[in-house]
Amino acid sequence: NTVRTPYNTMYEDVKPPIPRSVNKTRAQTPRWASKAPRIAADTIRVLMPKYYGMVKCLDDNIGRILDALRKNGQIERTIIVFTSDHGDLCGEHGRLNKGVPYEGSARIPFLIYTPGKIKGGTVVGEALSCVDFMPTVMNLMNTKHGQKVDGRDAAALFTGSKTDWNDMAFIRSTSAGKPWLCAVTNDHKLVFSAVDEPWLYDLSKDPDEMDNRFGQAEYAGIAKRLTQELLAYCKEFSDPYGAAPAIKSSMLATMKKE
C-alpha cells in the first residue's frame, strides 16, 4: 500500500547540471552531428527533472523485483543483468535522444550480479559490445547454446581470469540519412562518416568529446590501429557502410598516412 509520487512531478524543483558541451563551438561539432535542432540550457532545465523521476521509478521497481527474489530464496541462484539498447544525450552537445556516436547516445550500462562467480565491485575497463552479452551470460550460466554468434565471450573479464581480450568495439548507424562507422576502445573513438572528415576522440582526456585529435602526430598510431581494426571488421561481416565510397576512401587514406 505504499504511495508513490508520480515520476513526472517529484523532481520539479531539481536544478540539473548543464553539460559543458551545450556551449561548444561550430568547429567542435562534426557534420554528422550538426543537422538536429540544437537545444539550450533552459530546455534541459525543463526536461531533466522528468528524466530523474523516470530513473527513480525504474530504481523503485527494480528494488521490488530484488526484494521478491530475496523473499523467495532465489537471489543466490539468479543472474541479474541490467542493460539497455541505447542512451539518451539529455542535452549533451545540444541534443536529445540518440543516433550519433557520442558516448551519451551509444554507450550503455551493463551491470551483472552473478553469485559465486563475479566479485562485487568488479569494474571492467575494456570495450564490449551488446553482441558480446549473450555468449558471456550463457558461459556464466554454464549453458551450451550451440549456435554460431558474432559476439565474444567476455566472462573471463568479469571473473578475473587471464584473457587476451582485444579492447575494441564497433558501432554503426546513420545521421541525417548518411552512414557512419566507428571503432571504440576504453580510451579512444574513431568515427568515419560519409559527410565529414574522420573524428578521433581521446576519451580519457576529453570525456565531453569536444576536440578532434585526428591528424595530430601523437595520435597517428592510434588512428591507424583503430582504422585497421575497423577495416577487418567490415571485411569479416561484409558491412555495407564500410563500402560507402567516402568512408572507404577515408579509411584507406588513413592507413597510408606516415
Side-chain angles (χ1 to χ4, degrees), residues 171-221:
I171 316 172
R172 64 191 298 278
S173 189
T174 59
S175 294
K178 297 295 184 179
W180 54 261
L181 282 167
C182 72
V184 188
T185 69
N186 194 49
D187 293 326
H188 299 95
K189 177 186 298 177
L190 177 60
V191 184
F192 287 99
S193 165
V195 298
D196 205 352
E197 63 180 352
W199 279 70
L200 175 63
Y201 294 107
D202 186 334
L203 301 175
S204 62
K205 296 180 180 179
D206 177 30
D208 293 310
E209 296 174 285
M210 305 269 277
D211 303 316
N212 187 7
R213 311 297 175 111
F214 189 83
Q216 297 181 15
E218 63 182 295
Y219 289 93

mmCIF file of all heavy atoms in Angstrom, residues 171-221:
data_model
loop_
_atom_site.group_PDB
_atom_site.id
_atom_site.type_symbol
_atom_site.label_atom_id
_atom_site.label_comp_id
_atom_site.label_asym_id
_atom_site.label_seq_id
_atom_site.Cartn_x
_atom_site.Cartn_y
_atom_site.Cartn_z
ATOM 1 N N ILE A 171 30.638 0.398 -33.713
ATOM 2 C CA ILE A 171 29.300 0.965 -33.714
ATOM 3 C C ILE A 171 28.994 1.466 -35.123
ATOM 4 O O ILE A 171 29.887 1.967 -35.817
ATOM 5 C CB ILE A 171 29.169 2.138 -32.728
ATOM 6 C CG1 ILE A 171 29.849 1.818 -31.393
ATOM 7 C CG2 ILE A 171 27.704 2.496 -32.498
ATOM 8 C CD1 ILE A 171 29.918 3.009 -30.452
ATOM 9 N N ARG A 172 27.745 1.354 -35.531
ATOM 10 C CA ARG A 172 27.357 1.822 -36.864
ATOM 11 C C ARG A 172 25.927 2.339 -36.819
ATOM 12 O O ARG A 172 25.086 1.826 -36.092
ATOM 13 C CB ARG A 172 27.448 0.689 -37.885
ATOM 14 C CG ARG A 172 26.466 -0.451 -37.614
ATOM 15 C CD ARG A 172 26.738 -1.681 -38.453
ATOM 16 N NE ARG A 172 26.610 -1.461 -39.861
ATOM 17 C CZ ARG A 172 25.437 -1.477 -40.524
ATOM 18 N NH1 ARG A 172 24.311 -1.648 -39.881
ATOM 19 N NH2 ARG A 172 25.408 -1.295 -41.827
ATOM 20 N N SER A 173 25.659 3.376 -37.590
ATOM 21 C CA SER A 173 24.294 3.891 -37.700
ATOM 22 C C SER A 173 24.278 4.948 -38.791
ATOM 23 O O SER A 173 25.198 5.020 -39.614
ATOM 24 C CB SER A 173 23.814 4.477 -36.367
ATOM 25 O OG SER A 173 22.436 4.791 -36.426
ATOM 26 N N THR A 174 23.226 5.757 -38.807
ATOM 27 C CA THR A 174 23.137 6.861 -39.758
ATOM 28 C C THR A 174 22.797 8.145 -39.012
ATOM 29 O O THR A 174 22.147 8.120 -37.976
ATOM 30 C CB THR A 174 22.051 6.613 -40.821
ATOM 31 O OG1 THR A 174 20.794 6.460 -40.164
ATOM 32 C CG2 THR A 174 22.356 5.369 -41.632
ATOM 33 N N SER A 175 23.262 9.253 -39.553
ATOM 34 C CA SER A 175 22.889 10.579 -39.069
ATOM 35 C C SER A 175 22.485 11.400 -40.283
ATOM 36 O O SER A 175 23.225 11.451 -41.270
ATOM 37 C CB SER A 175 24.053 11.266 -38.351
ATOM 38 O OG SER A 175 24.390 10.576 -37.167
ATOM 39 N N ALA A 176 21.304 12.011 -40.212
ATOM 40 C CA ALA A 176 20.775 12.790 -41.335
ATOM 41 C C ALA A 176 20.763 11.962 -42.614
ATOM 42 O O ALA A 176 21.019 12.468 -43.711
ATOM 43 C CB ALA A 176 21.593 14.063 -41.524
ATOM 44 N N GLY A 177 20.496 10.655 -42.465
ATOM 45 C CA GLY A 177 20.385 9.783 -43.626
ATOM 46 C C GLY A 177 21.702 9.308 -44.197
ATOM 47 O O GLY A 177 21.716 8.587 -45.207
ATOM 48 N N LYS A 178 22.811 9.689 -43.596
ATOM 49 C CA LYS A 178 24.129 9.301 -44.098
ATOM 50 C C LYS A 178 24.799 8.347 -43.100
ATOM 51 O O LYS A 178 24.715 8.542 -41.897
ATOM 52 C CB LYS A 178 25.016 10.535 -44.294
ATOM 53 C CG LYS A 178 24.478 11.506 -45.329
ATOM 54 C CD LYS A 178 24.463 10.895 -46.720
ATOM 55 C CE LYS A 178 24.012 11.918 -47.749
ATOM 56 N NZ LYS A 178 24.004 11.343 -49.122
ATOM 57 N N PRO A 179 25.482 7.302 -43.601
ATOM 58 C CA PRO A 179 26.071 6.302 -42.696
ATOM 59 C C PRO A 179 27.331 6.794 -41.995
ATOM 60 O O PRO A 179 28.047 7.659 -42.498
ATOM 61 C CB PRO A 179 26.398 5.142 -43.647
ATOM 62 C CG PRO A 179 26.653 5.795 -44.960
ATOM 63 C CD PRO A 179 25.689 6.956 -45.018
ATOM 64 N N TRP A 180 27.569 6.216 -40.821
ATOM 65 C CA TRP A 180 28.837 6.408 -40.132
ATOM 66 C C TRP A 180 29.223 5.090 -39.448
ATOM 67 O O TRP A 180 28.376 4.272 -39.125
ATOM 68 C CB TRP A 180 28.808 7.552 -39.133
ATOM 69 C CG TRP A 180 27.727 7.517 -38.094
ATOM 70 C CD1 TRP A 180 26.545 8.200 -38.102
ATOM 71 C CD2 TRP A 180 27.722 6.747 -36.882
ATOM 72 N NE1 TRP A 180 25.804 7.907 -36.983
ATOM 73 C CE2 TRP A 180 26.500 7.017 -36.212
ATOM 74 C CE3 TRP A 180 28.611 5.856 -36.290
ATOM 75 C CZ2 TRP A 180 26.160 6.424 -34.987
ATOM 76 C CZ3 TRP A 180 28.267 5.268 -35.071
ATOM 77 C CH2 TRP A 180 27.065 5.554 -34.432
ATOM 78 N N LEU A 181 30.513 4.918 -39.273
ATOM 79 C CA LEU A 181 31.081 3.757 -38.597
ATOM 80 C C LEU A 181 32.111 4.247 -37.597
ATOM 81 O O LEU A 181 32.798 5.237 -37.854
ATOM 82 C CB LEU A 181 31.796 2.838 -39.594
ATOM 83 C CG LEU A 181 30.981 1.899 -40.477
ATOM 84 C CD1 LEU A 181 31.899 1.355 -41.569
ATOM 85 C CD2 LEU A 181 30.420 0.757 -39.666
ATOM 86 N N CYS A 182 32.251 3.534 -36.481
ATOM 87 C CA CYS A 182 33.348 3.908 -35.606
ATOM 88 C C CYS A 182 33.901 2.707 -34.851
ATOM 89 O O CYS A 182 33.201 1.709 -34.639
ATOM 90 C CB CYS A 182 32.952 5.009 -34.642
ATOM 91 S SG CYS A 182 31.838 4.546 -33.328
ATOM 92 N N ALA A 183 35.164 2.823 -34.507
ATOM 93 C CA ALA A 183 35.856 1.837 -33.681
ATOM 94 C C ALA A 183 36.134 2.495 -32.339
ATOM 95 O O ALA A 183 36.551 3.663 -32.277
ATOM 96 C CB ALA A 183 37.159 1.399 -34.337
ATOM 97 N N VAL A 184 35.901 1.752 -31.253
ATOM 98 C CA VAL A 184 35.993 2.319 -29.916
ATOM 99 C C VAL A 184 36.805 1.417 -29.003
ATOM 100 O O VAL A 184 36.621 0.199 -28.998
ATOM 101 C CB VAL A 184 34.592 2.488 -29.288
ATOM 102 C CG1 VAL A 184 34.696 3.255 -27.975
ATOM 103 C CG2 VAL A 184 33.641 3.177 -30.243
ATOM 104 N N THR A 185 37.712 2.010 -28.235
ATOM 105 C CA THR A 185 38.378 1.320 -27.141
ATOM 106 C C THR A 185 37.933 2.011 -25.855
ATOM 107 O O THR A 185 37.109 2.933 -25.887
ATOM 108 C CB THR A 185 39.910 1.384 -27.261
ATOM 109 O OG1 THR A 185 40.335 2.737 -27.029
ATOM 110 C CG2 THR A 185 40.384 0.932 -28.644
ATOM 111 N N ASN A 186 38.481 1.594 -24.747
ATOM 112 C CA ASN A 186 38.110 2.242 -23.493
ATOM 113 C C ASN A 186 38.546 3.704 -23.465
ATOM 114 O O ASN A 186 37.923 4.534 -22.794
ATOM 115 C CB ASN A 186 38.733 1.496 -22.310
ATOM 116 C CG ASN A 186 38.115 1.904 -20.982
ATOM 117 O OD1 ASN A 186 36.906 1.939 -20.830
ATOM 118 N ND2 ASN A 186 38.967 2.219 -20.014
ATOM 119 N N ASP A 187 39.589 4.044 -24.223
ATOM 120 C CA ASP A 187 40.153 5.404 -24.165
ATOM 121 C C ASP A 187 39.994 6.230 -25.435
ATOM 122 O O ASP A 187 40.170 7.453 -25.397
ATOM 123 C CB ASP A 187 41.641 5.333 -23.822
ATOM 124 C CG ASP A 187 41.886 4.831 -22.409
ATOM 125 O OD1 ASP A 187 41.072 5.139 -21.521
ATOM 126 O OD2 ASP A 187 42.885 4.125 -22.192
ATOM 127 N N HIS A 188 39.704 5.589 -26.570
ATOM 128 C CA HIS A 188 39.678 6.328 -27.831
ATOM 129 C C HIS A 188 38.491 5.920 -28.699
ATOM 130 O O HIS A 188 37.985 4.798 -28.586
ATOM 131 C CB HIS A 188 40.981 6.108 -28.612
ATOM 132 C CG HIS A 188 42.192 6.573 -27.891
ATOM 133 N ND1 HIS A 188 42.973 5.719 -27.130
ATOM 134 C CD2 HIS A 188 42.763 7.809 -27.780
ATOM 135 C CE1 HIS A 188 43.971 6.392 -26.591
ATOM 136 N NE2 HIS A 188 43.865 7.654 -26.959
ATOM 137 N N LYS A 189 38.092 6.833 -29.576
ATOM 138 C CA LYS A 189 36.995 6.570 -30.505
ATOM 139 C C LYS A 189 37.310 7.244 -31.841
ATOM 140 O O LYS A 189 37.609 8.439 -31.890
ATOM 141 C CB LYS A 189 35.679 7.113 -29.947
ATOM 142 C CG LYS A 189 34.473 6.958 -30.873
ATOM 143 C CD LYS A 189 33.246 7.652 -30.312
ATOM 144 C CE LYS A 189 32.846 7.047 -28.982
ATOM 145 N NZ LYS A 189 31.689 7.749 -28.384
ATOM 146 N N LEU A 190 37.236 6.473 -32.911
ATOM 147 C CA LEU A 190 37.495 6.994 -34.253
ATOM 148 C C LEU A 190 36.238 6.825 -35.094
ATOM 149 O O LEU A 190 35.743 5.714 -35.260
ATOM 150 C CB LEU A 190 38.671 6.261 -34.899
ATOM 151 C CG LEU A 190 39.027 6.654 -36.336
ATOM 152 C CD1 LEU A 190 39.389 8.138 -36.428
ATOM 153 C CD2 LEU A 190 40.174 5.789 -36.860
ATOM 154 N N VAL A 191 35.728 7.940 -35.624
ATOM 155 C CA VAL A 191 34.472 7.934 -36.381
ATOM 156 C C VAL A 191 34.746 8.277 -37.837
ATOM 157 O O VAL A 191 35.361 9.310 -38.149
ATOM 158 C CB VAL A 191 33.467 8.955 -35.807
ATOM 159 C CG1 VAL A 191 32.134 8.865 -36.546
ATOM 160 C CG2 VAL A 191 33.276 8.747 -34.308
ATOM 161 N N PHE A 192 34.267 7.412 -38.743
ATOM 162 C CA PHE A 192 34.297 7.687 -40.179
ATOM 163 C C PHE A 192 32.870 7.904 -40.643
ATOM 164 O O PHE A 192 31.982 7.091 -40.382
ATOM 165 C CB PHE A 192 34.918 6.516 -40.949
ATOM 166 C CG PHE A 192 36.405 6.389 -40.782
ATOM 167 C CD1 PHE A 192 36.927 5.474 -39.878
ATOM 168 C CD2 PHE A 192 37.283 7.177 -41.517
ATOM 169 C CE1 PHE A 192 38.303 5.341 -39.715
ATOM 170 C CE2 PHE A 192 38.656 7.057 -41.348
ATOM 171 C CZ PHE A 192 39.167 6.135 -40.451
ATOM 172 N N SER A 193 32.661 9.004 -41.350
ATOM 173 C CA SER A 193 31.322 9.357 -41.802
ATOM 174 C C SER A 193 31.338 9.684 -43.285
ATOM 175 O O SER A 193 32.364 10.112 -43.837
ATOM 176 C CB SER A 193 30.803 10.563 -41.013
ATOM 177 O OG SER A 193 29.680 11.142 -41.620
ATOM 178 N N ALA A 194 30.182 9.522 -43.926
ATOM 179 C CA ALA A 194 30.058 9.848 -45.345
ATOM 180 C C ALA A 194 29.955 11.350 -45.578
ATOM 181 O O ALA A 194 29.978 11.794 -46.731
ATOM 182 C CB ALA A 194 28.840 9.145 -45.930
ATOM 183 N N VAL A 195 29.851 12.137 -44.496
ATOM 184 C CA VAL A 195 29.644 13.575 -44.672
ATOM 185 C C VAL A 195 30.743 14.434 -44.049
ATOM 186 O O VAL A 195 30.629 15.662 -44.034
ATOM 187 C CB VAL A 195 28.276 14.011 -44.083
ATOM 188 C CG1 VAL A 195 27.146 13.326 -44.808
ATOM 189 C CG2 VAL A 195 28.208 13.724 -42.583
ATOM 190 N N ASP A 196 31.786 13.822 -43.524
ATOM 191 C CA ASP A 196 32.794 14.619 -42.829
ATOM 192 C C ASP A 196 34.133 13.918 -42.820
ATOM 193 O O ASP A 196 34.242 12.727 -43.157
ATOM 194 C CB ASP A 196 32.345 14.877 -41.386
ATOM 195 C CG ASP A 196 32.970 16.129 -40.779
ATOM 196 O OD1 ASP A 196 33.871 16.710 -41.411
ATOM 197 O OD2 ASP A 196 32.560 16.521 -39.682
ATOM 198 N N GLU A 197 35.153 14.655 -42.414
ATOM 199 C CA GLU A 197 36.471 14.074 -42.212
ATOM 200 C C GLU A 197 36.416 13.148 -40.986
ATOM 201 O O GLU A 197 35.465 13.194 -40.204
ATOM 202 C CB GLU A 197 37.491 15.187 -41.964
ATOM 203 C CG GLU A 197 37.209 15.981 -40.692
ATOM 204 C CD GLU A 197 38.227 17.081 -40.455
ATOM 205 O OE1 GLU A 197 39.219 17.137 -41.181
ATOM 206 O OE2 GLU A 197 38.003 17.870 -39.525
ATOM 207 N N PRO A 198 37.425 12.283 -40.794
ATOM 208 C CA PRO A 198 37.448 11.431 -39.596
ATOM 209 C C PRO A 198 37.544 12.274 -38.322
ATOM 210 O O PRO A 198 38.178 13.325 -38.303
ATOM 211 C CB PRO A 198 38.705 10.575 -39.796
ATOM 212 C CG PRO A 198 38.985 10.627 -41.261
ATOM 213 C CD PRO A 198 38.543 11.982 -41.705
ATOM 214 N N TRP A 199 36.894 11.784 -37.271
ATOM 215 C CA TRP A 199 36.975 12.406 -35.952
ATOM 216 C C TRP A 199 37.511 11.394 -34.961
ATOM 217 O O TRP A 199 36.971 10.298 -34.839
ATOM 218 C CB TRP A 199 35.606 12.912 -35.490
ATOM 219 C CG TRP A 199 35.253 14.239 -36.087
ATOM 220 C CD1 TRP A 199 34.949 14.498 -37.403
ATOM 221 C CD2 TRP A 199 35.194 15.498 -35.405
ATOM 222 N NE1 TRP A 199 34.701 15.830 -37.575
ATOM 223 C CE2 TRP A 199 34.839 16.475 -36.373
ATOM 224 C CE3 TRP A 199 35.392 15.883 -34.087
ATOM 225 C CZ2 TRP A 199 34.697 17.826 -36.045
ATOM 226 C CZ3 TRP A 199 35.240 17.230 -33.755
ATOM 227 C CH2 TRP A 199 34.902 18.178 -34.727
ATOM 228 N N LEU A 200 38.602 11.773 -34.287
ATOM 229 C CA LEU A 200 39.227 10.914 -33.291
ATOM 230 C C LEU A 200 39.140 11.598 -31.927
ATOM 231 O O LEU A 200 39.633 12.717 -31.749
ATOM 232 C CB LEU A 200 40.694 10.654 -33.647
ATOM 233 C CG LEU A 200 41.517 9.866 -32.619
ATOM 234 C CD1 LEU A 200 40.954 8.460 -32.433
ATOM 235 C CD2 LEU A 200 42.983 9.797 -33.049
ATOM 236 N N TYR A 201 38.501 10.922 -30.987
ATOM 237 C CA TYR A 201 38.357 11.470 -29.641
ATOM 238 C C TYR A 201 39.268 10.719 -28.671
ATOM 239 O O TYR A 201 39.365 9.488 -28.733
ATOM 240 C CB TYR A 201 36.917 11.349 -29.153
ATOM 241 C CG TYR A 201 35.924 12.181 -29.933
ATOM 242 C CD1 TYR A 201 35.032 11.575 -30.811
ATOM 243 C CD2 TYR A 201 35.881 13.562 -29.789
ATOM 244 C CE1 TYR A 201 34.114 12.335 -31.523
ATOM 245 C CE2 TYR A 201 34.975 14.331 -30.494
ATOM 246 C CZ TYR A 201 34.096 13.710 -31.361
ATOM 247 O OH TYR A 201 33.180 14.466 -32.067
ATOM 248 N N ASP A 202 39.897 11.470 -27.795
ATOM 249 C CA ASP A 202 40.643 10.888 -26.687
ATOM 250 C C ASP A 202 39.719 10.943 -25.475
ATOM 251 O O ASP A 202 39.601 11.967 -24.799
ATOM 252 C CB ASP A 202 41.932 11.685 -26.422
ATOM 253 C CG ASP A 202 42.809 11.039 -25.365
ATOM 254 O OD1 ASP A 202 42.268 10.314 -24.500
ATOM 255 O OD2 ASP A 202 44.032 11.259 -25.385
ATOM 256 N N LEU A 203 39.039 9.849 -25.200
ATOM 257 C CA LEU A 203 38.019 9.832 -24.156
ATOM 258 C C LEU A 203 38.604 9.997 -22.754
ATOM 259 O O LEU A 203 37.907 10.444 -21.842
ATOM 260 C CB LEU A 203 37.222 8.524 -24.236
ATOM 261 C CG LEU A 203 36.508 8.273 -25.572
ATOM 262 C CD1 LEU A 203 35.851 6.897 -25.563
ATOM 263 C CD2 LEU A 203 35.477 9.349 -25.859
ATOM 264 N N SER A 204 39.866 9.644 -22.595
ATOM 265 C CA SER A 204 40.484 9.784 -21.271
ATOM 266 C C SER A 204 40.796 11.245 -20.954
ATOM 267 O O SER A 204 40.710 11.672 -19.803
ATOM 268 C CB SER A 204 41.765 8.944 -21.195
ATOM 269 O OG SER A 204 42.719 9.394 -22.153
ATOM 270 N N LYS A 205 41.158 12.036 -21.968
ATOM 271 C CA LYS A 205 41.497 13.446 -21.764
ATOM 272 C C LYS A 205 40.342 14.386 -22.115
ATOM 273 O O LYS A 205 40.303 15.531 -21.649
ATOM 274 C CB LYS A 205 42.721 13.814 -22.609
ATOM 275 C CG LYS A 205 43.987 13.076 -22.220
ATOM 276 C CD LYS A 205 45.143 13.495 -23.117
ATOM 277 C CE LYS A 205 46.433 12.756 -22.728
ATOM 278 N NZ LYS A 205 47.563 13.130 -23.616
ATOM 279 N N ASP A 206 39.436 13.898 -22.928
ATOM 280 C CA ASP A 206 38.344 14.733 -23.430
ATOM 281 C C ASP A 206 37.028 13.955 -23.328
ATOM 282 O O ASP A 206 36.413 13.607 -24.334
ATOM 283 C CB ASP A 206 38.640 15.124 -24.890
ATOM 284 C CG ASP A 206 37.530 15.926 -25.540
ATOM 285 O OD1 ASP A 206 36.826 16.660 -24.822
ATOM 286 O OD2 ASP A 206 37.360 15.794 -26.775
ATOM 287 N N PRO A 207 36.553 13.670 -22.105
ATOM 288 C CA PRO A 207 35.349 12.866 -21.932
ATOM 289 C C PRO A 207 34.088 13.508 -22.494
ATOM 290 O O PRO A 207 33.102 12.805 -22.775
ATOM 291 C CB PRO A 207 35.249 12.693 -20.411
ATOM 292 C CG PRO A 207 36.022 13.836 -19.844
ATOM 293 C CD PRO A 207 37.138 14.075 -20.806
ATOM 294 N N ASP A 208 34.102 14.834 -22.707
ATOM 295 C CA ASP A 208 32.944 15.514 -23.279
ATOM 296 C C ASP A 208 32.922 15.443 -24.804
ATOM 297 O O ASP A 208 31.979 15.940 -25.431
ATOM 298 C CB ASP A 208 32.925 16.986 -22.846
ATOM 299 C CG ASP A 208 32.690 17.136 -21.356
ATOM 300 O OD1 ASP A 208 31.738 16.524 -20.842
ATOM 301 O OD2 ASP A 208 33.464 17.861 -20.699
ATOM 302 N N GLU A 209 33.958 14.871 -25.394
ATOM 303 C CA GLU A 209 34.052 14.702 -26.853
ATOM 304 C C GLU A 209 33.869 16.036 -27.578
ATOM 305 O O GLU A 209 32.970 16.227 -28.383
ATOM 306 C CB GLU A 209 33.012 13.683 -27.338
ATOM 307 C CG GLU A 209 33.258 12.290 -26.777
ATOM 308 C CD GLU A 209 32.167 11.301 -27.120
ATOM 309 O OE1 GLU A 209 31.074 11.389 -26.508
ATOM 310 O OE2 GLU A 209 32.384 10.452 -27.999
ATOM 311 N N MET A 210 34.784 16.925 -27.301
ATOM 312 C CA MET A 210 34.738 18.275 -27.875
ATOM 313 C C MET A 210 35.806 18.489 -28.960
ATOM 314 O O MET A 210 35.608 19.304 -29.855
ATOM 315 C CB MET A 210 34.944 19.308 -26.769
ATOM 316 C CG MET A 210 33.992 19.196 -25.598
ATOM 317 S SD MET A 210 32.519 20.168 -25.795
ATOM 318 C CE MET A 210 33.119 21.767 -25.258
ATOM 319 N N ASP A 211 36.931 17.772 -28.861
ATOM 320 C CA ASP A 211 38.084 18.089 -29.703
ATOM 321 C C ASP A 211 38.484 16.924 -30.590
ATOM 322 O O ASP A 211 38.620 15.791 -30.123
ATOM 323 C CB ASP A 211 39.274 18.496 -28.829
ATOM 324 C CG ASP A 211 38.935 19.679 -27.927
ATOM 325 O OD1 ASP A 211 38.306 20.628 -28.423
ATOM 326 O OD2 ASP A 211 39.291 19.636 -26.737
ATOM 327 N N ASN A 212 38.706 17.215 -31.856
ATOM 328 C CA ASN A 212 39.131 16.209 -32.820
ATOM 329 C C ASN A 212 40.651 16.083 -32.806
ATOM 330 O O ASN A 212 41.369 17.040 -33.111
ATOM 331 C CB ASN A 212 38.650 16.598 -34.222
ATOM 332 C CG ASN A 212 38.915 15.513 -35.245
ATOM 333 O OD1 ASN A 212 39.345 14.413 -34.912
ATOM 334 N ND2 ASN A 212 38.646 15.815 -36.506
ATOM 335 N N ARG A 213 41.152 14.894 -32.457
ATOM 336 C CA ARG A 213 42.604 14.668 -32.400
ATOM 337 C C ARG A 213 43.142 14.051 -33.700
ATOM 338 O O ARG A 213 44.340 13.804 -33.810
ATOM 339 C CB ARG A 213 42.954 13.737 -31.229
ATOM 340 C CG ARG A 213 42.318 14.123 -29.882
ATOM 341 C CD ARG A 213 42.781 15.468 -29.375
ATOM 342 N NE ARG A 213 42.085 15.868 -28.162
ATOM 343 C CZ ARG A 213 42.632 15.952 -26.965
ATOM 344 N NH1 ARG A 213 43.892 15.630 -26.801
ATOM 345 N NH2 ARG A 213 41.924 16.355 -25.922
ATOM 346 N N PHE A 214 42.267 13.794 -34.652
ATOM 347 C CA PHE A 214 42.723 13.172 -35.905
ATOM 348 C C PHE A 214 43.674 14.129 -36.632
ATOM 349 O O PHE A 214 43.423 15.324 -36.736
ATOM 350 C CB PHE A 214 41.528 12.859 -36.806
ATOM 351 C CG PHE A 214 41.886 12.031 -38.005
ATOM 352 C CD1 PHE A 214 41.976 10.650 -37.914
ATOM 353 C CD2 PHE A 214 42.153 12.633 -39.229
ATOM 354 C CE1 PHE A 214 42.318 9.883 -39.022
ATOM 355 C CE2 PHE A 214 42.495 11.880 -40.338
ATOM 356 C CZ PHE A 214 42.577 10.495 -40.235
ATOM 357 N N GLY A 215 44.773 13.578 -37.104
ATOM 358 C CA GLY A 215 45.766 14.382 -37.808
ATOM 359 C C GLY A 215 46.886 14.870 -36.916
ATOM 360 O O GLY A 215 47.902 15.362 -37.414
ATOM 361 N N GLN A 216 46.719 14.743 -35.596
ATOM 362 C CA GLN A 216 47.787 15.124 -34.682
ATOM 363 C C GLN A 216 48.827 13.999 -34.626
ATOM 364 O O GLN A 216 48.470 12.821 -34.507
ATOM 365 C CB GLN A 216 47.231 15.407 -33.290
ATOM 366 C CG GLN A 216 46.276 16.579 -33.242
ATOM 367 C CD GLN A 216 45.756 16.877 -31.850
ATOM 368 O OE1 GLN A 216 46.295 16.395 -30.847
ATOM 369 N NE2 GLN A 216 44.710 17.682 -31.759
ATOM 370 N N ALA A 217 50.082 14.361 -34.696
ATOM 371 C CA ALA A 217 51.163 13.381 -34.815
ATOM 372 C C ALA A 217 51.156 12.360 -33.684
ATOM 373 O O ALA A 217 51.381 11.160 -33.907
ATOM 374 C CB ALA A 217 52.511 14.102 -34.869
ATOM 375 N N GLU A 218 50.882 12.800 -32.463
ATOM 376 C CA GLU A 218 50.934 11.872 -31.334
ATOM 377 C C GLU A 218 49.821 10.830 -31.355
ATOM 378 O O GLU A 218 49.881 9.828 -30.647
ATOM 379 C CB GLU A 218 50.866 12.652 -30.018
ATOM 380 C CG GLU A 218 49.569 13.419 -29.810
ATOM 381 C CD GLU A 218 49.566 14.215 -28.527
ATOM 382 O OE1 GLU A 218 49.609 13.589 -27.449
ATOM 383 O OE2 GLU A 218 49.548 15.461 -28.607
ATOM 384 N N TYR A 219 48.797 11.045 -32.206
ATOM 385 C CA TYR A 219 47.690 10.101 -32.285
ATOM 386 C C TYR A 219 47.702 9.290 -33.583
ATOM 387 O O TYR A 219 46.769 8.528 -33.845
ATOM 388 C CB TYR A 219 46.356 10.847 -32.185
ATOM 389 C CG TYR A 219 46.087 11.403 -30.805
ATOM 390 C CD1 TYR A 219 46.456 12.704 -30.480
ATOM 391 C CD2 TYR A 219 45.484 10.619 -29.825
ATOM 392 C CE1 TYR A 219 46.230 13.219 -29.221
ATOM 393 C CE2 TYR A 219 45.246 11.127 -28.552
ATOM 394 C CZ TYR A 219 45.625 12.424 -28.254
ATOM 395 O OH TYR A 219 45.394 12.922 -26.998
ATOM 396 N N ALA A 220 48.763 9.434 -34.375
ATOM 397 C CA ALA A 220 48.823 8.753 -35.673
ATOM 398 C C ALA A 220 48.752 7.234 -35.513
ATOM 399 O O ALA A 220 48.040 6.548 -36.255
ATOM 400 C CB ALA A 220 50.094 9.153 -36.425
ATOM 401 N N GLY A 221 49.498 6.698 -34.557
ATOM 402 C CA GLY A 221 49.499 5.253 -34.345
ATOM 403 C C GLY A 221 48.141 4.746 -33.891
ATOM 404 O O GLY A 221 47.690 3.672 -34.328
#
